[in-house]
Amino acid sequence: MDKIDRRILEILQKDARISIVELAERVGLSATPCRNRVAKLEQTGVIARYGAVVSPEKAGYPITAFVSVELERQEAQSLALFERRVAEFEEVVQGFLMTGSQDFLLRVVVEDLPAFERFLQDKLTTVPGIRSVRSRFALRQFVWRSRLPAAD
């Protein structure tokens, strides 16, 4: 990736709906070479997907919980099973395999506290191999970015 590719990514992360013509103008290319660069970024997986940024609160999901999960066993089969099962739960909007004492960190969004309790009891704790679950609730979000830091 060169400087122009990085500039294309910077602009697309701020506005993925920008036209190729406008994008090309902003990075100093004509439309066809710009379109080719975007296509290459897509084909190589640098651009993984496009989507809308939705406000959880305005969409009816004002509760955000961060759930740490420790498994009984940290072997590959147990980790893979947990990941497959949790990926099916719509309430989990992000999931990370972690280092340290907790194996996974999940970001969970729900409508209210009873919905979170149902999520824990009816979904998460039914996954085999869980040793412990710890939940923390976000009071408010003060930073959120869907973009990566700009490269120098």
Side-chain angles (χ1 to χ4, degrees):
M1 281 198 344
D2 63 12
K3 197 172 181 179
I4 294 173
D5 288 335
R6 293 189 198 307
R7 180 72 178 132
I8 288 170
L9 291 173
E10 181 182 342
I11 293 167
L12 287 175
Q13 287 180 101
K14 291 177 183 172
D15 181 8
R17 295 176 62 173
I18 190 171
S19 72
I20 286 292
V21 172
E22 186 177 346
L23 178 62
E25 288 174 6
R26 291 182 58 188
V27 298
L29 294 174
S30 62
T32 300
C34 184
R35 183 179 303 108
N36 292 340
R37 283 177 177 259
V38 171
K40 184 177 178 184
L41 291 168
E42 293 168 346
Q43 291 165 357
T44 58
V46 174
I47 297 175
R49 62 188 164 97
Y50 296 93
V53 177
V54 177
S55 166
E57 296 82 10
K58 292 183 179 179
Y61 299 94
I63 306 292
T64 296
F66 293 91
V67 181
S68 298
V69 178
E70 182 182 359
L71 299 183
E72 292 173 350
R73 303 176 70 156
Q74 287 73 32
E75 62 192 19
Q77 185 178 355
S78 298
L79 298 172
L81 172 64
F82 180 84
E83 288 178 16
R84 279 194 311 275
R85 290 284 305 275
V86 169
E88 297 172 1
F89 305 150
E90 289 292 319
E91 298 89 344
V92 177
V93 294
Q94 291 181 303
F96 301 92
L97 176 63
M98 305 296 290
T99 62
S101 63
Q102 301 297 304
D103 298 311
F104 291 94
L105 179 64
L106 310 175
R107 180 172 160 238
V108 176
V109 297
V110 292
E111 301 92 339
D112 51 32
L113 291 178
F116 183 74
E117 182 179 13
R118 287 190 304 277
F119 165 75
L120 281 181
Q121 290 179 347
D122 300 341
K123 293 184 178 181
L124 186 60
T125 58
T126 67
V127 177
I130 293 177
R131 175 178 288 153
S132 69
V133 175
R134 293 181 180 88
S135 303
R136 296 177 308 276
F137 291 92
L139 296 177
R140 66 182 168 91
Q141 182 176 311
F142 64 94
V143 173
W144 187 89
R145 294 182 181 97
S146 64
R147 61 173 171 76
L148 298 174
D152 292 332

